[in-house]
PDB file of all heavy atoms in Angstrom:
ATOM      1  N   GLU A  76     -10.087  -3.137  18.672  1.00  0.00           N
ATOM      2  CA  GLU A  76     -10.323  -4.567  18.491  1.00  0.00           C
ATOM      3  C   GLU A  76     -10.738  -5.243  19.785  1.00  0.00           C
ATOM      4  O   GLU A  76     -11.605  -6.120  19.786  1.00  0.00           O
ATOM      5  CB  GLU A  76      -9.068  -5.238  17.928  1.00  0.00           C
ATOM      6  CG  GLU A  76      -8.739  -4.853  16.498  1.00  0.00           C
ATOM      7  CD  GLU A  76      -9.792  -5.326  15.515  1.00  0.00           C
ATOM      8  OE1 GLU A  76     -10.431  -6.369  15.791  1.00  0.00           O
ATOM      9  OE2 GLU A  76      -9.975  -4.664  14.482  1.00  0.00           O
ATOM     10  N   GLU A  77     -10.126  -4.838  20.905  1.00  0.00           N
ATOM     11  CA  GLU A  77     -10.456  -5.492  22.167  1.00  0.00           C
ATOM     12  C   GLU A  77     -11.824  -5.106  22.701  1.00  0.00           C
ATOM     13  O   GLU A  77     -12.318  -5.725  23.651  1.00  0.00           O
ATOM     14  CB  GLU A  77      -9.395  -5.161  23.222  1.00  0.00           C
ATOM     15  CG  GLU A  77      -9.284  -3.684  23.572  1.00  0.00           C
ATOM     16  CD  GLU A  77      -8.323  -2.964  22.668  1.00  0.00           C
ATOM     17  OE1 GLU A  77      -7.871  -3.580  21.668  1.00  0.00           O
ATOM     18  OE2 GLU A  77      -8.015  -1.796  22.951  1.00  0.00           O
ATOM     19  N   GLU A  78     -12.452  -4.094  22.103  1.00  0.00           N
ATOM     20  CA  GLU A  78     -13.773  -3.657  22.553  1.00  0.00           C
ATOM     21  C   GLU A  78     -14.896  -4.143  21.645  1.00  0.00           C
ATOM     22  O   GLU A  78     -16.062  -3.885  21.942  1.00  0.00           O
ATOM     23  CB  GLU A  78     -13.824  -2.125  22.630  1.00  0.00           C
ATOM     24  CG  GLU A  78     -12.814  -1.503  23.556  1.00  0.00           C
ATOM     25  CD  GLU A  78     -13.046  -1.859  25.005  1.00  0.00           C
ATOM     26  OE1 GLU A  78     -14.218  -2.110  25.366  1.00  0.00           O
ATOM     27  OE2 GLU A  78     -12.078  -1.905  25.785  1.00  0.00           O
ATOM     28  N   LYS A  79     -14.565  -4.822  20.569  1.00  0.00           N
ATOM     29  CA  LYS A  79     -15.597  -5.242  19.633  1.00  0.00           C
ATOM     30  C   LYS A  79     -16.388  -6.418  20.179  1.00  0.00           C
ATOM     31  O   LYS A  79     -15.923  -7.184  21.015  1.00  0.00           O
ATOM     32  CB  LYS A  79     -14.962  -5.604  18.290  1.00  0.00           C
ATOM     33  CG  LYS A  79     -14.419  -4.400  17.542  1.00  0.00           C
ATOM     34  CD  LYS A  79     -13.908  -4.782  16.167  1.00  0.00           C
ATOM     35  CE  LYS A  79     -13.431  -3.556  15.393  1.00  0.00           C
ATOM     36  NZ  LYS A  79     -12.923  -3.893  14.048  1.00  0.00           N
ATOM     37  N   THR A  80     -17.609  -6.552  19.663  1.00  0.00           N
ATOM     38  CA  THR A  80     -18.511  -7.604  20.139  1.00  0.00           C
ATOM     39  C   THR A  80     -17.953  -8.985  19.847  1.00  0.00           C
ATOM     40  O   THR A  80     -18.092  -9.902  20.669  1.00  0.00           O
ATOM     41  CB  THR A  80     -19.889  -7.437  19.476  1.00  0.00           C
ATOM     42  OG1 THR A  80     -20.399  -6.139  19.768  1.00  0.00           O
ATOM     43  CG2 THR A  80     -20.864  -8.484  19.989  1.00  0.00           C
ATOM     44  N   GLU A  81     -17.319  -9.151  18.701  1.00  0.00           N
ATOM     45  CA  GLU A  81     -16.759 -10.465  18.350  1.00  0.00           C
ATOM     46  C   GLU A  81     -15.718 -10.906  19.362  1.00  0.00           C
ATOM     47  O   GLU A  81     -15.697 -12.082  19.767  1.00  0.00           O
ATOM     48  CB  GLU A  81     -16.151 -10.393  16.958  1.00  0.00           C
ATOM     49  CG  GLU A  81     -15.582 -11.721  16.467  1.00  0.00           C
ATOM     50  CD  GLU A  81     -14.966 -11.612  15.092  1.00  0.00           C
ATOM     51  OE1 GLU A  81     -14.919 -10.479  14.558  1.00  0.00           O
ATOM     52  OE2 GLU A  81     -14.530 -12.647  14.544  1.00  0.00           O
ATOM     53  N   ARG A  82     -14.882  -9.989  19.799  1.00  0.00           N
ATOM     54  CA  ARG A  82     -13.847 -10.323  20.790  1.00  0.00           C
ATOM     55  C   ARG A  82     -14.480 -10.707  22.124  1.00  0.00           C
ATOM     56  O   ARG A  82     -14.086 -11.707  22.746  1.00  0.00           O
ATOM     57  CB  ARG A  82     -12.926  -9.114  20.950  1.00  0.00           C
ATOM     58  CG  ARG A  82     -11.830  -9.285  21.978  1.00  0.00           C
ATOM     59  CD  ARG A  82     -10.713 -10.181  21.467  1.00  0.00           C
ATOM     60  NE  ARG A  82      -9.585 -10.179  22.372  1.00  0.00           N
ATOM     61  CZ  ARG A  82      -8.574  -9.317  22.293  1.00  0.00           C
ATOM     62  NH1 ARG A  82      -8.556  -8.386  21.340  1.00  0.00           N
ATOM     63  NH2 ARG A  82      -7.564  -9.378  23.127  1.00  0.00           N
ATOM     64  N   GLN A  83     -15.458  -9.949  22.564  1.00  0.00           N
ATOM     65  CA  GLN A  83     -16.105 -10.248  23.835  1.00  0.00           C
ATOM     66  C   GLN A  83     -16.919 -11.539  23.766  1.00  0.00           C
ATOM     67  O   GLN A  83     -16.975 -12.299  24.733  1.00  0.00           O
ATOM     68  CB  GLN A  83     -17.010  -9.079  24.247  1.00  0.00           C
ATOM     69  CG  GLN A  83     -16.285  -7.757  24.404  1.00  0.00           C
ATOM     70  CD  GLN A  83     -15.178  -7.829  25.431  1.00  0.00           C
ATOM     71  OE1 GLN A  83     -15.291  -8.506  26.452  1.00  0.00           O
ATOM     72  NE2 GLN A  83     -14.082  -7.111  25.164  1.00  0.00           N
ATOM     73  N   PHE A  84     -17.525 -11.799  22.619  1.00  0.00           N
ATOM     74  CA  PHE A  84     -18.302 -13.029  22.455  1.00  0.00           C
ATOM     75  C   PHE A  84     -17.395 -14.253  22.521  1.00  0.00           C
ATOM     76  O   PHE A  84     -17.718 -15.251  23.182  1.00  0.00           O
ATOM     77  CB  PHE A  84     -19.053 -12.990  21.123  1.00  0.00           C
ATOM     78  CG  PHE A  84     -19.645 -14.303  20.722  1.00  0.00           C
ATOM     79  CD1 PHE A  84     -20.643 -14.902  21.478  1.00  0.00           C
ATOM     80  CD2 PHE A  84     -19.184 -14.963  19.588  1.00  0.00           C
ATOM     81  CE1 PHE A  84     -21.180 -16.127  21.106  1.00  0.00           C
ATOM     82  CE2 PHE A  84     -19.709 -16.179  19.218  1.00  0.00           C
ATOM     83  CZ  PHE A  84     -20.718 -16.762  19.976  1.00  0.00           C
ATOM     84  N   LYS A  85     -16.246 -14.197  21.839  1.00  0.00           N
ATOM     85  CA  LYS A  85     -15.325 -15.336  21.885  1.00  0.00           C
ATOM     86  C   LYS A  85     -14.783 -15.557  23.291  1.00  0.00           C
ATOM     87  O   LYS A  85     -14.604 -16.701  23.737  1.00  0.00           O
ATOM     88  CB  LYS A  85     -14.186 -15.110  20.904  1.00  0.00           C
ATOM     89  CG  LYS A  85     -14.611 -15.169  19.445  1.00  0.00           C
ATOM     90  CD  LYS A  85     -13.432 -14.950  18.512  1.00  0.00           C
ATOM     91  CE  LYS A  85     -13.853 -15.044  17.058  1.00  0.00           C
ATOM     92  NZ  LYS A  85     -12.716 -14.822  16.127  1.00  0.00           N
ATOM     93  N   LYS A  86     -14.527 -14.469  24.002  1.00  0.00           N
ATOM     94  CA  LYS A  86     -14.031 -14.586  25.366  1.00  0.00           C
ATOM     95  C   LYS A  86     -15.060 -15.247  26.274  1.00  0.00           C
ATOM     96  O   LYS A  86     -14.740 -16.167  27.043  1.00  0.00           O
ATOM     97  CB  LYS A  86     -13.669 -13.196  25.886  1.00  0.00           C
ATOM     98  CG  LYS A  86     -13.202 -13.171  27.325  1.00  0.00           C
ATOM     99  CD  LYS A  86     -12.915 -11.745  27.773  1.00  0.00           C
ATOM    100  CE  LYS A  86     -12.528 -11.685  29.246  1.00  0.00           C
ATOM    101  NZ  LYS A  86     -12.286 -10.276  29.685  1.00  0.00           N
ATOM    102  N   PHE A  87     -16.301 -14.794  26.192  1.00  0.00           N
ATOM    103  CA  PHE A  87     -17.345 -15.374  27.042  1.00  0.00           C
ATOM    104  C   PHE A  87     -17.683 -16.788  26.607  1.00  0.00           C
ATOM    105  O   PHE A  87     -17.987 -17.650  27.444  1.00  0.00           O
ATOM    106  CB  PHE A  87     -18.589 -14.491  26.992  1.00  0.00           C
ATOM    107  CG  PHE A  87     -19.660 -14.898  27.958  1.00  0.00           C
ATOM    108  CD1 PHE A  87     -19.586 -14.525  29.296  1.00  0.00           C
ATOM    109  CD2 PHE A  87     -20.735 -15.652  27.548  1.00  0.00           C
ATOM    110  CE1 PHE A  87     -20.565 -14.905  30.197  1.00  0.00           C
ATOM    111  CE2 PHE A  87     -21.727 -16.031  28.437  1.00  0.00           C
ATOM    112  CZ  PHE A  87     -21.642 -15.666  29.768  1.00  0.00           C
TER     113      PHE A  87
END
Side-chain angles (χ1 to χ4, degrees):
E76 291 295 330
E77 62 272 9
E78 301 294 332
K79 290 185 177 180
T80 302
E81 182 181 4
R82 178 75 171 270
Q83 301 302 324
F84 168 64
K85 291 181 179 180
K86 177 182 176 182
F87 187 81

